[in-house]
Amino acid sequence: PEAKGGARMTGASGLVASGISARLGERTVLRDVSLAAAPGQCLVIIGPNGAGKTSLLRCLAGLLKPATGTVAVDGRNLLSGGERERARLVSYLPQEAQVVFPFTALDVVLMGRHPHLGWLDAESARDVEIARQALEACDAAALADRPVTRLSGGERRRVFFARTLAQRTRVLLLDEPTADQDLHHALRLLECARRDADTCVVTVLHDLNLAGRFADRLLLLDDGKVVAQGEPAEILEPGVLNPVYRVAVTVLTHGKHRIVFPDRLPDSRTRH
């Protein structure tokens, strides 16, 4: 696996972040992180709790200003533009998206079209069509007219995912998109994210098997630093994972995929 700073991509197409360091209050949460995702690529960020994964996504989305480093989309400095300009280039699905008022699911998804509208413009028939297509892609078309406040956690998550898709951006940033999803919907949402060959996908996943299944590249974070990045076959190895997750794992190969099984805690003892 490549050491930190080993991000690569051809030309300036796609998403490139270089030397990102960031703080939350007095705490340093990211230290010299570099990465790249080309159009059509899926980069999955993995690592233990508190590693800095969400902070990294928020930096890439322009929601957390890094102390050092740059973020560019197709060679354009993402951190120097306005919010609407960023929202036309990058869409972001946070871990927890809240809607207090009883908007319908379709209304929520239509919010993803706002960056493409003028200040006083109403959504067009085309915008509504795009929103309905996004709901259908996420297996949420039947929820279109239901208030999001009356949906289950998994249903709401699919609606917010559809809103991200409806934004039609060059970069999708997804923080635990499969949370609250059954196996069918987890696979469906990740396949939706990967569908567009012109879109760069950067997503945080805790499920290492899903990460290995969908990632072109993995980036392993620990304590705000890049421990390794490379293809799944390089990263999903006991010698790479064990020190970071502080647990012994067994890795099996099934076809072209790696399957990770947690084995034991390093200090565990067998009791009789």
Side-chain angles (χ1 to χ4, degrees):
E2 299 163 19
K4 66 178 181 179
R8 303 172 299 182
M9 68 183 299
T10 302
S13 180
L15 172 71
V16 179
S18 300
I20 297 293
S21 297
R23 299 178 65 84
L24 287 177
E26 299 299 316
R27 185 166 63 96
T28 298
V29 292
L30 295 170
R31 310 166 194 270
D32 192 24
V33 175
S34 296
L35 60 84
Q41 264 194 345
C42 179
L43 173 69
V44 178
I45 303 169
I46 60 175
N49 294 339
K53 302 182 296 297
T54 292
S55 295
L56 178 54
L57 276 194
R58 295 186 69 232
C59 283
L60 299 178
L63 300 175
L64 174 62
K65 185 177 180 180
T68 64
T70 60
V71 180
V73 176
D74 296 336
R76 300 164 63 181
N77 184 349
L78 190 70
L79 303 180
S80 65
E83 291 182 3
R84 287 177 66 82
E85 181 182 356
R86 286 200 305 272
R88 294 186 189 107
L89 293 171
V90 174
S91 52
Y92 171 58
L93 177 69
Q95 277 189 25
E96 297 182 3
Q98 300 291 334
V99 174
V100 177
F101 298 103
F103 296 111
T104 67
L106 179 60
D107 287 335
V108 170
V109 178
L110 279 169
M111 294 175 188
R113 301 301 303 158
H114 289 180
H116 305 285
L117 304 177
W119 289 109
L120 299 178
D121 291 345
E123 298 91 349
S124 67
R126 175 60 176 159
D127 293 315
V128 174
E129 179 185 1
I130 289 172
R132 290 192 180 277
Q133 288 174 351
L135 282 167
E136 178 67 33
C138 296
D139 195 24
L143 308 176
D145 297 324
R146 292 176 57 185
V148 291
T149 50
R150 297 184 184 178
L151 300 180
S152 72
E155 289 171 333
R156 282 197 302 272
R157 193 66 172 165
R158 297 204 301 279
V159 170
F160 292 129
F161 195 106
R163 181 180 66 181
T164 305
L165 293 181
Q167 205 167 323
R168 293 281 179 96
T169 56
R170 290 282 285 154
V171 178
L172 286 178
L173 303 175
L174 310 172
D175 198 348
E176 284 293 327
T178 59
D180 298 322
Q181 300 303 307
D182 57 44
L183 184 58
H184 169 85
H185 288 106
L187 292 173
R188 181 159 182 165
L189 293 183
L190 291 174
E191 287 174 354
C192 284
R194 296 222 49 180
R195 187 170 297 171
D196 191 342
D198 293 326
T199 302
C200 313
V201 180
V202 180
T203 181
V204 168
L205 291 176
H206 276 293
D207 188 323
L208 298 182
N209 295 316
L210 279 179
R213 168 69 175 79
F214 283 92
D216 294 297
R217 293 175 63 79
L218 294 174
L219 186 149
L220 177 60
L221 272 184
D222 190 24
D223 193 27
K225 297 175 288 189
V226 178
V227 176
Q229 56 180 312
E231 296 181 358
E234 300 175 277
I235 307 302
L236 299 181
E237 284 288 342
V240 178
L241 299 177
N242 290 357
V244 173
Y245 284 95
R246 300 165 184 84
V247 63
V249 301
T250 297
V251 180
L252 302 180
T253 300
H254 178 69
K256 63 179 181 178
H257 302 301
R258 298 294 179 94
I259 303 173
V260 180
F261 295 95
D263 188 4
R264 64 187 185 281
L265 295 174
D267 296 329
S268 64
R269 297 290 185 268
T270 301
R271 296 182 179 180
H272 298 283

